[in-house]
Amino acid sequence: MQRSNFRPLILALGLAAALAAPARADVRLPRVISDHMVLQRDAAVPIWGWADPGEGVTVTVAGQTRATKADADGTWRVKLDRLAAGGPHTLTVKGNNTVTVKDVLVGEVWLASGQSNMAWTVGRSTNFESEKEAAKHPQLRMFTVGRAPAREPQKDCKGTWEVCAPETVGNFSGTAYFFARDLQAKLKVPVGVINSSVGGTPIESWISLDAQKSVAALQPLLARWNKLATEWEPKSAQAKYEKQLAAYRMAAEKAKAEGKKVPRAPQKPVHPNDNTHYPAVLFNAMIAPVVPYGIRGAIWYQGESNAGSEESGKLYGAQLPLLVRDWRGRWGEGDFPFAWVQLPNYVTKAQGWPAVREAMRRSLSLPQTGMTVNIDIGDPKDIHPANKQDYGKRLALWARAQVYGEKIPWSGPLPAGHKVEGGAVEVSFAHADGGLVAKGGELRGFAVAGADGKWRPAAARIQGDRVLVSSTEVAAPVAARYDWAANPDGNLYNGAGLPASPFRTGKE
């Protein structure tokens, strides 16, 4: 009798102990490490994830096996030996459970980021139907990071790797896809792109807050946002929104009745900290989670949202180099290649477009950077030029030449120095491949200024790799500039058919 009572007691105690014991956590990977991914070739790429503190984890792929233990916070990471291009491989991660990642290729991986013109899809680009039909590139893949701001740096994000095919390519970033397609055609290896971009966002959303706090020029901007967050009143914001919404509905009905374009609806109010314009929120949500995924480099198409005024345009000169240094520091892989799309021509009342372009040009002083000049391929009537093929192609020219060592022209003429002599400003140019050319007539687009700082239209003529600029209205010029307008009409090119960058001599 006593024995039969003792057995249930043992079972009860055992059950209680089992319930009290902490549940073993499954080994887990970030979403960017998933089926169809591309790993960077010829590099010691990291694989990382989460598990129980102290749990043993092994990673196996392409004949390699690496073992480690999860840290006290449950994170773990291994570094693979250099991988040769190829595949498909299967990546296996074992701990308390086993995770299998299928169809893994090894090749070239690029991070693509920016605002709407990077987010702009192939499906909305020129000649989509023919592009769709031709998009049979199973070794080209794209991971599109889920779009959402975050107040603190995140460890993971939403997204999946998609294999390029006619049924998937429509949702790929157009600029990034055409860039990757051109690279793959030349390199003959798999190419993967991590697309992290959001329309209508300023550069300060994409830089870590720690980095921005260290730059004196950015403190007024941070202070303004902090003030908005501190003074946020949801009731008054909602009341203002409802008033705007009522006015919008009336305007929309009137536009429809008159056959005109319906205006954009007002956005619902959100706390400033959750606004995609708030400093660092997109870095937190959409860049931090993919660090330290192995990449060759990054391409950037952004700047329109920072071109509203001359002041904001000049501030971009501090922000773009900061972003490059910040991201490079996060990856910790040295000065990985980084290129950006200089803003193209566009008709706008915003005053900062020339200043943003100049900030982009001057940021080339950073090592291992590049810039495509696009002053001839914008759409004057549309801030979103649909011809993303040419933007991708010019980025690919830079990468082929500067990253992969191909001996080809890749940039339009860039000013390399100047001097004032005999009443003229003499500007010398780099990237005058095949000689400087005035396309379609006499050279135009230049101006000079004297000590009074007033700019006057100027005559210009080519002498070898130099341009002599002068004006009968300015006897003693001190500076010159070219294509200094949102939608300029300059015509200076090189022999390779690439346009010269807008520029202004001097400090400003």
Side-chain angles (χ1 to χ4, degrees):
M1 187 71 175
Q2 291 178 342
R3 188 173 182 179
S4 61
N5 288 339
F6 190 58
R7 185 177 179 184
L9 179 61
I10 294 175
L11 292 174
L13 290 172
L15 178 60
L19 292 173
R24 294 200 306 177
D26 286 344
V27 168
R28 185 166 63 88
L29 296 170
R31 288 180 176 86
V32 74
I33 299 178
S34 55
D35 292 350
H36 314 303
M37 70 177 179
V38 182
L39 294 175
Q40 178 60 47
R41 65 171 172 168
D42 301 329
V45 298
I47 302 294
W48 76 97
W50 303 274
D52 274 338
E55 181 179 344
V57 178
T58 60
V59 177
T60 301
V61 64
Q64 295 187 40
T65 297
R66 294 289 176 268
T68 189
K69 287 186 178 181
D71 293 338
D73 63 356
T75 61
W76 57 266
R77 184 191 298 188
V78 299
K79 270 201 170 183
L80 301 172
D81 285 344
R82 293 172 180 267
L83 296 167
H89 302 290
T90 298
L91 183 144
T92 304
V93 181
K94 291 184 178 181
N96 292 333
N97 61 304
T98 299
V99 179
T100 301
V101 181
K102 302 175 183 178
D103 188 30
V104 177
L105 299 182
V106 180
E108 292 297 300
V109 183
W110 286 83
L111 174 65
S113 188
Q115 60 178 106
S116 54
N117 274 308
M118 184 63 85
W120 196 263
T121 62
V122 175
R124 301 173 72 187
S125 300
T126 303
N127 300 326
F128 172 57
E129 289 304 320
S130 59
E131 293 291 3
K132 176 181 177 181
E133 179 64 25
K136 299 168 184 176
H137 306 293
Q139 291 199 326
L140 193 161
R141 283 95 187 271
M142 189 171 294
F143 182 93
T144 301
V145 179
R147 297 168 186 170
R151 300 188 184 190
E152 300 293 335
Q154 301 297 295
K155 295 181 179 180
D156 204 358
C157 61
K158 294 182 179 180
T160 57
W161 283 96
E162 295 286 348
V163 178
C164 180
E167 58 269 24
T168 61
V169 74
N171 291 324
F172 284 16
S173 157
T175 297
Y177 168 69
F178 295 119
F179 165 78
R181 186 184 67 178
D182 281 11
L183 286 189
Q184 189 184 42
K186 291 295 180 180
L187 300 174
K188 310 299 184 185
V189 299
V191 176
V193 176
I194 299 172
N195 169 28
S196 182
S197 52
V198 181
T201 54
I203 193 171
E204 54 265 27
S205 300
W206 295 97
I207 309 170
S208 74
L209 194 57
D210 287 344
Q212 296 187 74
K213 285 181 177 178
S214 68
V215 178
L218 300 184
Q219 299 320 296
L221 182 151
L222 297 180
R224 286 196 299 272
W225 276 105
N226 185 58
K227 185 173 186 292
L228 288 173
T230 302
E231 297 176 353
W232 168 252
E233 294 182 357
K235 289 185 178 180
S236 62
Q238 181 64 27
K240 181 179 179 181
Y241 166 72
E242 290 175 358
K243 186 176 181 180
Q244 291 173 335
L245 185 62
Y248 158 75
R249 286 171 176 165
M250 292 180 62
E253 289 180 7
K254 182 179 179 182
K256 288 178 182 178
E258 296 175 354
K260 296 180 180 179
K261 185 178 179 180
V262 176
R264 182 178 296 180
Q267 293 184 336
K268 292 182 179 180
V270 297
H271 192 285
N273 290 135
D274 299 319
N275 189 316
T276 55
H277 285 221
Y278 198 88
V281 294
L282 296 179
F283 169 85
N284 292 339
M286 300 179 63
I287 297 299
V290 299
V291 177
Y293 196 93
I295 60 174
R296 174 66 70 189
I299 55 174
W300 175 255
Y301 191 165
Q302 191 277 336
E304 300 92 336
S305 288
N306 293 88
S309 67
E310 181 81 7
E311 180 185 14
S312 64
K314 289 180 180 179
L315 190 61
Y316 202 85
Q319 292 172 305
L320 181 56
L322 181 64
L323 179 139
V324 175
R325 291 193 295 266
D326 186 31
W327 290 13
R328 284 173 169 175
R330 302 286 168 173
W331 260 268
E333 298 295 333
D335 293 338
F336 62 72
F338 201 119
W340 47 86
V341 174
Q342 190 185 53
L343 293 184
N345 54 304
Y346 172 59
V347 173
T348 176
K349 294 180 180 179
Q351 298 298 307
W353 282 62
V356 168
R357 292 191 192 113
E358 182 68 356
M360 290 176 162
R361 184 185 69 81
R362 290 178 182 270
S363 295
L364 290 173
S365 60
L366 290 172
Q368 294 277 71
T369 57
M371 179 185 76
T372 64
V373 181
N374 313 284
I375 203 67
D376 60 332
I377 56 173
D379 185 336
K381 298 180 180 180
D382 195 336
I383 199 170
H384 302 116
N387 178 24
K388 293 297 188 280
Q389 289 87 339
D390 280 341
Y391 294 86
K393 179 180 180 180
R394 289 183 180 180
L395 284 166
L397 286 176
W398 162 77
R400 287 164 55 193
Q402 296 299 98
V403 181
Y404 300 109
E406 195 172 341
K407 303 299 182 183
I408 55 172
W410 64 271
S411 173
L414 299 175
H418 74 281
K419 63 181 181 179
V420 179
E421 192 171 78
V425 181
E426 179 183 288
V427 184
S428 60
F429 289 86
H431 300 285
D433 300 272
L436 297 178
V437 176
K439 188 176 180 179
E442 293 185 1
L443 201 55
R444 60 181 184 271
F446 285 87
V448 292
D452 60 2
K454 295 181 179 180
W455 293 95
R456 308 291 186 186
R461 57 189 176 90
I462 296 169
Q463 283 192 349
D465 63 354
R466 297 166 296 150
V467 173
L468 301 181
V469 190
S470 61
S471 171
T472 56
E473 299 180 58
V474 184
V478 298
R481 70 183 187 185
Y482 171 71
D483 264 5
W484 199 263
N487 184 47
D489 69 345
N491 62 340
L492 179 63
Y493 285 71
N494 62 19
L498 296 171
S501 170
F503 69 89
R504 178 167 58 183
T505 64
K507 294 182 180 181
E508 292 296 333

PDB file of all heavy atoms in Angstrom, residues 293-318:
ATOM      1  N   TYR A 293      26.350  40.489 -42.601  1.00  0.00           N
ATOM      2  CA  TYR A 293      26.272  39.613 -43.770  1.00  0.00           C
ATOM      3  C   TYR A 293      27.383  39.956 -44.766  1.00  0.00           C
ATOM      4  O   TYR A 293      27.625  41.128 -45.053  1.00  0.00           O
ATOM      5  CB  TYR A 293      24.916  39.765 -44.441  1.00  0.00           C
ATOM      6  CG  TYR A 293      24.577  38.667 -45.417  1.00  0.00           C
ATOM      7  CD1 TYR A 293      23.849  37.557 -45.008  1.00  0.00           C
ATOM      8  CD2 TYR A 293      24.987  38.735 -46.741  1.00  0.00           C
ATOM      9  CE1 TYR A 293      23.528  36.537 -45.901  1.00  0.00           C
ATOM     10  CE2 TYR A 293      24.675  37.733 -47.639  1.00  0.00           C
ATOM     11  CZ  TYR A 293      23.947  36.632 -47.213  1.00  0.00           C
ATOM     12  OH  TYR A 293      23.642  35.622 -48.103  1.00  0.00           O
ATOM     13  N   GLY A 294      28.044  38.972 -45.298  1.00  0.00           N
ATOM     14  CA  GLY A 294      29.182  39.208 -46.184  1.00  0.00           C
ATOM     15  C   GLY A 294      28.782  39.873 -47.486  1.00  0.00           C
ATOM     16  O   GLY A 294      27.963  39.338 -48.236  1.00  0.00           O
ATOM     17  N   ILE A 295      29.345  41.043 -47.751  1.00  0.00           N
ATOM     18  CA  ILE A 295      29.045  41.780 -48.980  1.00  0.00           C
ATOM     19  C   ILE A 295      30.339  42.221 -49.647  1.00  0.00           C
ATOM     20  O   ILE A 295      31.369  42.374 -49.009  1.00  0.00           O
ATOM     21  CB  ILE A 295      28.168  43.024 -48.711  1.00  0.00           C
ATOM     22  CG1 ILE A 295      28.876  43.994 -47.743  1.00  0.00           C
ATOM     23  CG2 ILE A 295      26.806  42.619 -48.174  1.00  0.00           C
ATOM     24  CD1 ILE A 295      28.137  45.320 -47.545  1.00  0.00           C
ATOM     25  N   ARG A 296      30.263  42.439 -50.958  1.00  0.00           N
ATOM     26  CA  ARG A 296      31.393  43.018 -51.690  1.00  0.00           C
ATOM     27  C   ARG A 296      31.411  44.523 -51.505  1.00  0.00           C
ATOM     28  O   ARG A 296      32.465  45.145 -51.371  1.00  0.00           O
ATOM     29  CB  ARG A 296      31.290  42.680 -53.177  1.00  0.00           C
ATOM     30  CG  ARG A 296      32.332  43.357 -54.066  1.00  0.00           C
ATOM     31  CD  ARG A 296      33.726  42.868 -53.774  1.00  0.00           C
ATOM     32  NE  ARG A 296      33.903  41.487 -54.220  1.00  0.00           N
ATOM     33  CZ  ARG A 296      34.956  40.738 -53.956  1.00  0.00           C
ATOM     34  NH1 ARG A 296      35.929  41.244 -53.201  1.00  0.00           N
ATOM     35  NH2 ARG A 296      35.048  39.501 -54.384  1.00  0.00           N
ATOM     36  N   GLY A 297      30.226  45.146 -51.536  1.00  0.00           N
ATOM     37  CA  GLY A 297      30.156  46.592 -51.424  1.00  0.00           C
ATOM     38  C   GLY A 297      28.721  47.063 -51.403  1.00  0.00           C
ATOM     39  O   GLY A 297      27.786  46.272 -51.227  1.00  0.00           O
ATOM     40  N   ALA A 298      28.521  48.376 -51.592  1.00  0.00           N
ATOM     41  CA  ALA A 298      27.186  48.974 -51.491  1.00  0.00           C
ATOM     42  C   ALA A 298      26.975  49.990 -52.601  1.00  0.00           C
ATOM     43  O   ALA A 298      27.924  50.649 -53.051  1.00  0.00           O
ATOM     44  CB  ALA A 298      27.004  49.645 -50.132  1.00  0.00           C
ATOM     45  N   ILE A 299      25.708  50.105 -53.029  1.00  0.00           N
ATOM     46  CA  ILE A 299      25.298  51.157 -53.966  1.00  0.00           C
ATOM     47  C   ILE A 299      24.161  51.938 -53.324  1.00  0.00           C
ATOM     48  O   ILE A 299      23.338  51.377 -52.595  1.00  0.00           O
ATOM     49  CB  ILE A 299      24.893  50.591 -55.341  1.00  0.00           C
ATOM     50  CG1 ILE A 299      23.791  49.527 -55.208  1.00  0.00           C
ATOM     51  CG2 ILE A 299      26.107  50.030 -56.065  1.00  0.00           C
ATOM     52  CD1 ILE A 299      23.257  49.031 -56.556  1.00  0.00           C
ATOM     53  N   TRP A 300      24.091  53.234 -53.609  1.00  0.00           N
ATOM     54  CA  TRP A 300      23.208  54.161 -52.892  1.00  0.00           C
ATOM     55  C   TRP A 300      22.549  55.101 -53.884  1.00  0.00           C
ATOM     56  O   TRP A 300      23.224  55.715 -54.707  1.00  0.00           O
ATOM     57  CB  TRP A 300      24.052  54.934 -51.888  1.00  0.00           C
ATOM     58  CG  TRP A 300      23.407  56.035 -51.113  1.00  0.00           C
ATOM     59  CD1 TRP A 300      23.569  57.378 -51.301  1.00  0.00           C
ATOM     60  CD2 TRP A 300      22.524  55.904 -49.991  1.00  0.00           C
ATOM     61  NE1 TRP A 300      22.854  58.084 -50.357  1.00  0.00           N
ATOM     62  CE2 TRP A 300      22.200  57.203 -49.545  1.00  0.00           C
ATOM     63  CE3 TRP A 300      21.982  54.797 -49.310  1.00  0.00           C
ATOM     64  CZ2 TRP A 300      21.350  57.441 -48.465  1.00  0.00           C
ATOM     65  CZ3 TRP A 300      21.137  55.040 -48.226  1.00  0.00           C
ATOM     66  CH2 TRP A 300      20.834  56.336 -47.822  1.00  0.00           C
ATOM     67  N   TYR A 301      21.211  55.197 -53.845  1.00  0.00           N
ATOM     68  CA  TYR A 301      20.467  56.125 -54.701  1.00  0.00           C
ATOM     69  C   TYR A 301      19.483  56.869 -53.791  1.00  0.00           C
ATOM     70  O   TYR A 301      18.428  56.357 -53.452  1.00  0.00           O
ATOM     71  CB  TYR A 301      19.737  55.357 -55.787  1.00  0.00           C
ATOM     72  CG  TYR A 301      19.139  56.189 -56.916  1.00  0.00           C
ATOM     73  CD1 TYR A 301      18.732  55.583 -58.105  1.00  0.00           C
ATOM     74  CD2 TYR A 301      18.975  57.572 -56.821  1.00  0.00           C
ATOM     75  CE1 TYR A 301      18.184  56.317 -59.151  1.00  0.00           C
ATOM     76  CE2 TYR A 301      18.435  58.317 -57.849  1.00  0.00           C
ATOM     77  CZ  TYR A 301      18.029  57.670 -59.019  1.00  0.00           C
ATOM     78  OH  TYR A 301      17.474  58.415 -60.041  1.00  0.00           O
ATOM     79  N   GLN A 302      19.870  58.071 -53.399  1.00  0.00           N
ATOM     80  CA  GLN A 302      19.092  58.859 -52.453  1.00  0.00           C
ATOM     81  C   GLN A 302      19.580  60.290 -52.545  1.00  0.00           C
ATOM     82  O   GLN A 302      20.606  60.565 -53.123  1.00  0.00           O
ATOM     83  CB  GLN A 302      19.279  58.289 -51.029  1.00  0.00           C
ATOM     84  CG  GLN A 302      18.351  58.814 -49.953  1.00  0.00           C
ATOM     85  CD  GLN A 302      18.829  60.138 -49.352  1.00  0.00           C
ATOM     86  OE1 GLN A 302      20.006  60.460 -49.396  1.00  0.00           O
ATOM     87  NE2 GLN A 302      17.906  60.905 -48.792  1.00  0.00           N
ATOM     88  N   GLY A 303      18.840  61.214 -51.964  1.00  0.00           N
ATOM     89  CA  GLY A 303      19.267  62.606 -51.930  1.00  0.00           C
ATOM     90  C   GLY A 303      18.149  63.578 -52.220  1.00  0.00           C
ATOM     91  O   GLY A 303      18.208  64.746 -51.825  1.00  0.00           O
ATOM     92  N   GLU A 304      17.108  63.101 -52.915  1.00  0.00           N
ATOM     93  CA  GLU A 304      16.009  63.996 -53.255  1.00  0.00           C
ATOM     94  C   GLU A 304      15.368  64.608 -52.005  1.00  0.00           C
ATOM     95  O   GLU A 304      15.012  65.790 -51.995  1.00  0.00           O
ATOM     96  CB  GLU A 304      14.947  63.230 -54.067  1.00  0.00           C
ATOM     97  CG  GLU A 304      15.456  62.642 -55.373  1.00  0.00           C
ATOM     98  CD  GLU A 304      15.956  61.206 -55.223  1.00  0.00           C
ATOM     99  OE1 GLU A 304      16.332  60.819 -54.085  1.00  0.00           O
ATOM    100  OE2 GLU A 304      15.978  60.479 -56.230  1.00  0.00           O
ATOM    101  N   SER A 305      15.217  63.798 -50.963  1.00  0.00           N
ATOM    102  CA  SER A 305      14.569  64.288 -49.745  1.00  0.00           C
ATOM    103  C   SER A 305      15.440  65.255 -48.947  1.00  0.00           C
ATOM    104  O   SER A 305      14.955  65.889 -48.007  1.00  0.00           O
ATOM    105  CB  SER A 305      14.174  63.105 -48.841  1.00  0.00           C
ATOM    106  OG  SER A 305      13.084  62.406 -49.387  1.00  0.00           O
ATOM    107  N   ASN A 306      16.697  65.363 -49.300  1.00  0.00           N
ATOM    108  CA  ASN A 306      17.593  66.310 -48.625  1.00  0.00           C
ATOM    109  C   ASN A 306      17.901  67.517 -49.494  1.00  0.00           C
ATOM    110  O   ASN A 306      18.757  68.334 -49.146  1.00  0.00           O
ATOM    111  CB  ASN A 306      18.899  65.618 -48.242  1.00  0.00           C
ATOM    112  CG  ASN A 306      18.698  64.558 -47.179  1.00  0.00           C
ATOM    113  OD1 ASN A 306      18.415  63.407 -47.492  1.00  0.00           O
ATOM    114  ND2 ASN A 306      18.824  64.929 -45.916  1.00  0.00           N
ATOM    115  N   ALA A 307      17.210  67.648 -50.624  1.00  0.00           N
ATOM    116  CA  ALA A 307      17.514  68.706 -51.580  1.00  0.00           C
ATOM    117  C   ALA A 307      16.499  69.838 -51.554  1.00  0.00           C
ATOM    118  O   ALA A 307      16.405  70.616 -52.502  1.00  0.00           O
ATOM    119  CB  ALA A 307      17.597  68.121 -52.997  1.00  0.00           C
ATOM    120  N   GLY A 308      15.760  69.961 -50.464  1.00  0.00           N
ATOM    121  CA  GLY A 308      14.725  70.983 -50.410  1.00  0.00           C
ATOM    122  C   GLY A 308      15.246  72.395 -50.391  1.00  0.00           C
ATOM    123  O   GLY A 308      14.625  73.310 -50.930  1.00  0.00           O
ATOM    124  N   SER A 309      16.398  72.605 -49.756  1.00  0.00           N
ATOM    125  CA  SER A 309      16.955  73.956 -49.646  1.00  0.00           C
ATOM    126  C   SER A 309      18.461  73.912 -49.833  1.00  0.00           C
ATOM    127  O   SER A 309      19.090  72.853 -49.742  1.00  0.00           O
ATOM    128  CB  SER A 309      16.634  74.544 -48.269  1.00  0.00           C
ATOM    129  OG  SER A 309      17.335  73.821 -47.252  1.00  0.00           O
ATOM    130  N   GLU A 310      19.036  75.078 -50.078  1.00  0.00           N
ATOM    131  CA  GLU A 310      20.495  75.190 -50.194  1.00  0.00           C
ATOM    132  C   GLU A 310      21.160  74.725 -48.894  1.00  0.00           C
ATOM    133  O   GLU A 310      22.188  74.043 -48.915  1.00  0.00           O
ATOM    134  CB  GLU A 310      20.872  76.636 -50.495  1.00  0.00           C
ATOM    135  CG  GLU A 310      22.358  76.888 -50.673  1.00  0.00           C
ATOM    136  CD  GLU A 310      22.875  76.540 -52.055  1.00  0.00           C
ATOM    137  OE1 GLU A 310      22.046  76.211 -52.936  1.00  0.00           O
ATOM    138  OE2 GLU A 310      24.104  76.586 -52.255  1.00  0.00           O
ATOM    139  N   GLU A 311      20.551  75.071 -47.771  1.00  0.00           N
ATOM    140  CA  GLU A 311      21.108  74.695 -46.479  1.00  0.00           C
ATOM    141  C   GLU A 311      21.138  73.179 -46.299  1.00  0.00           C
ATOM    142  O   GLU A 311      22.154  72.609 -45.902  1.00  0.00           O
ATOM    143  CB  GLU A 311      20.290  75.331 -45.354  1.00  0.00           C
ATOM    144  CG  GLU A 311      20.795  74.993 -43.959  1.00  0.00           C
ATOM    145  CD  GLU A 311      19.892  75.534 -42.863  1.00  0.00           C
ATOM    146  OE1 GLU A 311      18.754  75.938 -43.179  1.00  0.00           O
ATOM    147  OE2 GLU A 311      20.314  75.532 -41.692  1.00  0.00           O
ATOM    148  N   SER A 312      20.008  72.524 -46.582  1.00  0.00           N
ATOM    149  CA  SER A 312      19.969  71.070 -46.417  1.00  0.00           C
ATOM    150  C   SER A 312      20.874  70.379 -47.430  1.00  0.00           C
ATOM    151  O   SER A 312      21.461  69.337 -47.142  1.00  0.00           O
ATOM    152  CB  SER A 312      18.537  70.555 -46.541  1.00  0.00           C
ATOM    153  OG  SER A 312      18.014  70.775 -47.847  1.00  0.00           O
ATOM    154  N   GLY A 313      20.990  70.987 -48.622  1.00  0.00           N
ATOM    155  CA  GLY A 313      21.887  70.419 -49.630  1.00  0.00           C
ATOM    156  C   GLY A 313      23.334  70.448 -49.182  1.00  0.00           C
ATOM    157  O   GLY A 313      24.081  69.483 -49.367  1.00  0.00           O
ATOM    158  N   LYS A 314      23.743  71.563 -48.573  1.00  0.00           N
ATOM    159  CA  LYS A 314      25.118  71.660 -48.072  1.00  0.00           C
ATOM    160  C   LYS A 314      25.353  70.696 -46.915  1.00  0.00           C
ATOM    161  O   LYS A 314      26.437  70.112 -46.790  1.00  0.00           O
ATOM    162  CB  LYS A 314      25.410  73.089 -47.634  1.00  0.00           C
ATOM    163  CG  LYS A 314      25.532  74.086 -48.780  1.00  0.00           C
ATOM    164  CD  LYS A 314      25.812  75.484 -48.253  1.00  0.00           C
ATOM    165  CE  LYS A 314      25.941  76.482 -49.394  1.00  0.00           C
ATOM    166  NZ  LYS A 314      26.187  77.861 -48.884  1.00  0.00           N
ATOM    167  N   LEU A 315      24.351  70.518 -46.066  1.00  0.00           N
ATOM    168  CA  LEU A 315      24.479  69.600 -44.932  1.00  0.00           C
ATOM    169  C   LEU A 315      24.726  68.172 -45.400  1.00  0.00           C
ATOM    170  O   LEU A 315      25.379  67.384 -44.711  1.00  0.00           O
ATOM    171  CB  LEU A 315      23.217  69.661 -44.071  1.00  0.00           C
ATOM    172  CG  LEU A 315      23.271  68.956 -42.716  1.00  0.00           C
ATOM    173  CD1 LEU A 315      24.358  69.570 -41.828  1.00  0.00           C
ATOM    174  CD2 LEU A 315      21.916  69.021 -42.028  1.00  0.00           C
ATOM    175  N   TYR A 316      24.234  67.862 -46.587  1.00  0.00           N
ATOM    176  CA  TYR A 316      24.448  66.533 -47.161  1.00  0.00           C
ATOM    177  C   TYR A 316      25.939  66.227 -47.300  1.00  0.00           C
ATOM    178  O   TYR A 316      26.354  65.072 -47.277  1.00  0.00           O
ATOM    179  CB  TYR A 316      23.763  66.452 -48.519  1.00  0.00           C
ATOM    180  CG  TYR A 316      23.442  65.046 -48.988  1.00  0.00           C
ATOM    181  CD1 TYR A 316      22.270  64.414 -48.579  1.00  0.00           C
ATOM    182  CD2 TYR A 316      24.285  64.361 -49.859  1.00  0.00           C
ATOM    183  CE1 TYR A 316      21.951  63.141 -49.020  1.00  0.00           C
ATOM    184  CE2 TYR A 316      23.974  63.086 -50.303  1.00  0.00           C
ATOM    185  CZ  TYR A 316      22.807  62.484 -49.873  1.00  0.00           C
ATOM    186  OH  TYR A 316      22.494  61.214 -50.315  1.00  0.00           O
ATOM    187  N   GLY A 317      26.740  67.281 -47.428  1.00  0.00           N
ATOM    188  CA  GLY A 317      28.186  67.103 -47.525  1.00  0.00           C
ATOM    189  C   GLY A 317      28.799  66.524 -46.269  1.00  0.00           C
ATOM    190  O   GLY A 317      29.885  65.934 -46.305  1.00  0.00           O
ATOM    191  N   ALA A 318      28.135  66.688 -45.129  1.00  0.00           N
ATOM    192  CA  ALA A 318      28.573  66.045 -43.887  1.00  0.00           C
ATOM    193  C   ALA A 318      27.918  64.685 -43.716  1.00  0.00           C
ATOM    194  O   ALA A 318      28.504  63.756 -43.141  1.00  0.00           O
ATOM    195  CB  ALA A 318      28.234  66.937 -42.685  1.00  0.00           C
TER     196      ALA A 318
END
